Amino acid sequence: MIQKPTYEELEKKIQKLEQSDKKARENEERYKLAFQTSPDAINISRASDGMFINVNHGFTKIMGYKQDDVIGKTSLSLNMWANPEDRNRLINSLAKTGYVDNMEARFICKGGRIVVGLLSAHLMQINGEDFILSIIRNITQFKNAQEALQKSEQQLSTHLLNTPIGAISWDLNFKTIEWNPAAENIFGYTKEEALGKHIADLILTEDSKEIVEDIFQDILSEKGGTHSINENITKKGRRIICDWYNTVLQDADGKNIGMASLVNDISARKQTEEALKESEEGLKTILSATPDPIAIYNNQGGTEYLNPAFIKLFGWSLDELEGKRIPFVPDDQKKITSEKVKELLSSGKKVQFESKRLTKKGRSIDVIISSSCIKDINGKISKLVVILKDITEQKQIRNELRLLNIKLEHKATHDSLTGAPNRGAILDRLRNELLRAKRGNLKLSIGICDIDHFKHVNDKYGHQAGDDVLFNFVKIIQKTLRPYDMVGRYGGEEFLLVIPDLPDSIGMVEEKIYERVRAITADQKMVTRAGKISITISIGITSRRGDETADAMIARADAALYRAKENGRNQLAFAD
């Protein structure tokens, strides 16, 4: 006789089923939230025909399609592959191994915009049917920055040696010619240990040494540079996975002279990606594999979850922070953070803003913060999900490019010895002032100033002392002239003075300005490496006449200068 369960037993079974169902719903909600809030483009497609069955918000934001535009269609029907070979590589890799790691590919977005992405994908089964889970990391900005770096002049390559990215240069014999501090940190060798060493003796594993020449030749044949992910070995014998961007170094004649490389140690990221393939729980898989830090808080601000990327970047473990607020908001960022939290809680919609955060060790990191809410069955906010994207490196590269461009622009328009505008720059300023004077019917004067017997200074005291004289002379003139007057090096020991906005009584004021320059120069001893040296100057002066050109003014001032020298030097001469 079958014994019927008691009422209490039935009630316990029902409670157990309800708890199991509740946990399953919570896990499903977490999975959906992580899927939808990831900034990467994530999609699930049917393996048999490639038809999309689900895409996240990151996919629609990056690719430009609405979900309804994509679901039920394929990447081919949407013409999303900029290079059909990329799709063939994906299919072949999935057929062989069941997964693809960080394959670089170009995608056509809605409207024709091209996005460069790192594609990771693996096969999975749902109810016995094969599906493909794909994650596309948008690296377009990074690729654009890389291309800008490759097009810069040799000064940029030198400048990059001081960046946090590993920067290494090799000659055609595969020997190291540059090795920056970041490369020291990655591989353990100091610059002194690395310089002149063959690549095979530094960072290649035994099984890759035989193919190094073929690798180099492939890189040297690629005009636009190459990207690869390789296994390398450190000084202590530890094997690491490195992300390499390589480009050819050429001389002024376009001849190959070696190779330059940018390298990052991505061992931790690769380990995270391996965890993604092996995990059976959808939420844990996505959160662990996402390279961006993720934190989940309760509605009181207490920490409930930190993904591996967060722990690695910021240094805190969940054991240290569980139930507590994360102490990583700098004082100057607390106001905007508070405002954005209020906006999130009041609207319940995603909030995104740029800010700074501190690591456990106090290092400041630039981040883009994306925050979303999880609501309970009653529609109340129960948790906050925060995704942080580290943009410190990109901002630093942009700042370095901006500073380098400023330096190059200054170098192109200024004399390297005296710091004054060079011949081209001072002539451009004269032409501009001449146009302004013609438009406003203003007075404009110029003077060509020459240091008397400058050859005698060089012959007697040496060229270094002569350089000191030129440098100090410019400083004296700049202090003597009015703030809006200009002086530029016209050539050798000749300087062009541009004196705008003179009053109607131009002759008297004009002569006072130039005479003051002449007198102060004669009275001032120039401090040089060979001691104090006295000099005098001669100045040829002219003023604007009608619609004459800058060349005509200079010709008249030059003739006046010749007369000043003929008449004994250390004097002014006005044009006829």
Side-chain angles (χ1 to χ4, degrees), residues 27-47:
N27 284 338
E28 183 179 357
E29 286 299 318
R30 281 194 168 196
Y31 177 86
K32 288 179 179 179
L33 179 68
F35 179 84
Q36 290 297 344
T37 59
S38 173
D40 294 333
I42 304 176
N43 69 82
I44 300 174
S45 60
R46 203 157 49 202

Side-chain angles (χ1 to χ4, degrees), residues 117-341:
L118 284 183
L119 172 62
S120 297
H122 71 271
L123 290 172
M124 63 181 185
Q125 280 197 341
I126 301 177
N127 296 328
E129 185 176 358
D130 287 339
F131 291 87
I132 302 172
L133 172 66
S134 301
I135 302 175
I136 301 172
R137 164 62 56 85
N138 186 357
I139 62 168
T140 307
Q141 290 185 344
F142 182 81
K143 292 294 289 185
N144 289 342
Q146 177 202 1
E147 290 172 3
L149 292 177
Q150 291 172 341
K151 293 177 182 178
S152 297
E153 297 182 7
Q154 189 174 0
Q155 294 95 326
L156 182 58
S157 298
T158 303
H159 198 64
L160 275 177
L161 295 176
N162 296 317
T163 71
I165 304 171
I168 305 171
S169 298
W170 326 86
D171 64 20
L172 293 178
N173 294 317
F174 320 135
K175 293 184 178 181
T176 311
I177 57 177
E178 192 54 74
W179 186 271
N180 78 335
E184 295 182 14
N185 293 334
I186 293 172
F187 298 107
Y189 294 96
T190 65
K191 184 174 183 178
E192 291 72 20
E193 292 173 327
L195 292 183
K197 296 292 180 59
H198 195 284
I199 182 176
D201 298 326
L202 288 174
I203 61 174
L204 294 182
T205 58
E206 286 296 328
D207 52 356
S208 65
K209 288 184 179 180
E210 294 180 359
I211 62 172
V212 62
E213 186 166 352
D214 292 335
I215 294 174
F216 264 76
Q217 294 306 324
D218 288 342
I219 293 170
L220 293 174
S221 66
E222 292 288 341
K223 294 182 180 179
T226 64
H227 168 250
S228 63
I229 295 177
N230 303 318
E231 186 179 54
N232 296 107
I233 192 164
T234 68
K235 181 180 178 180
K236 293 184 177 181
R238 184 169 62 91
R239 287 177 176 253
I240 58 174
I241 305 299
C242 292
D243 197 4
W244 291 87
Y245 286 87
N246 309 296
T247 189
V248 178
L249 289 176
Q250 295 183 327
D251 60 18
D253 298 323
K255 183 179 178 182
N256 291 348
I257 58 174
M259 181 186 75
S261 300
L262 300 179
V263 57
N264 274 320
D265 179 1
I266 60 169
S267 303
R269 192 184 83 191
K270 294 299 289 183
Q271 292 171 1
T272 303
E273 291 169 355
E274 290 298 323
L276 169 65
K277 291 181 292 186
E278 297 172 0
S279 176
E280 295 180 356
E281 297 179 32
L283 175 62
K284 185 177 179 180
T285 298
I286 293 176
L287 293 182
S288 298
T290 301
D292 295 325
I294 298 176
I296 298 178
Y297 306 90
N298 59 31
N299 56 11
Q300 301 300 316
T303 307
E304 289 194 354
Y305 173 82
L306 301 174
N307 76 335
F310 186 101
I311 295 170
K312 178 182 177 183
L313 182 60
F314 291 101
W316 285 286
S317 68
L318 184 59
D319 291 339
E320 294 176 279
L321 297 175
E322 191 166 11
K324 305 175 184 177
R325 294 180 181 271
I326 304 174
F328 68 164
V329 181
D331 290 340
D332 62 349
Q333 298 297 309
K334 288 182 178 179
K335 181 179 179 181
I336 185 173
T337 300
S338 176
E339 291 172 351
K340 292 299 180 180
V341 170

